[in-house]
Amino acid sequence: MGWRHAFTPDLRMYAEVSGIKKNGGRINGHIYGGNIGMEWFPFKNIGFVADYGISKIKLHRDSERDADLNIRLTGPSAYVKVRF
């Protein structure tokens, strides 16, 4: 799910969330993430983005050798965005 709002043609704000849950079988768990940020395009096709995101990955494998994966990533990001 996502939401975007354009204040001007060159300045936008956005929020996005996504996720999946897996039950059954040998692998169980969930993956979800979300971020909120701003996009600014001072040039026609080149812009700058700053956002804050959260990602969570938690998986468990049921077998003779149990394996767990539990990762949480949070923090700000800044990058250049190119559009065509």
Side-chain angles (χ1 to χ4, degrees):
M1 244 187 339
W3 169 81
R4 292 185 180 269
H5 178 74
F7 297 104
T8 68
D10 299 330
L11 182 64
R12 299 178 190 159
M13 181 178 183
Y14 65 90
E16 301 170 338
V17 294
S18 62
I20 186 168
K21 183 172 175 113
K22 171 145 182 355
N23 291 332
R26 296 176 78 178
I27 297 177
N28 299 302
H30 59 267
I31 301 171
Y32 66 83
N35 57 6
I36 186 167
M38 296 287 290
E39 298 176 340
W40 176 51
F41 286 88
F43 309 106
K44 183 178 178 181
N45 294 331
I46 300 173
F48 303 100
V49 180
D51 72 3
Y52 188 88
I54 299 173
S55 297
K56 173 78 172 170
I57 302 169
K58 186 172 184 177
L59 300 172
H60 176 75
R61 183 178 74 173
D62 297 322
S63 68
E64 294 174 7
R65 297 181 300 168
D66 287 339
D68 290 330
L69 177 65
N70 191 6
I71 299 173
R72 183 180 171 110
L73 305 168
T74 61
S77 300
Y79 50 93
V80 176
K81 187 172 187 177
V82 179
R83 63 181 175 181
F84 296 97

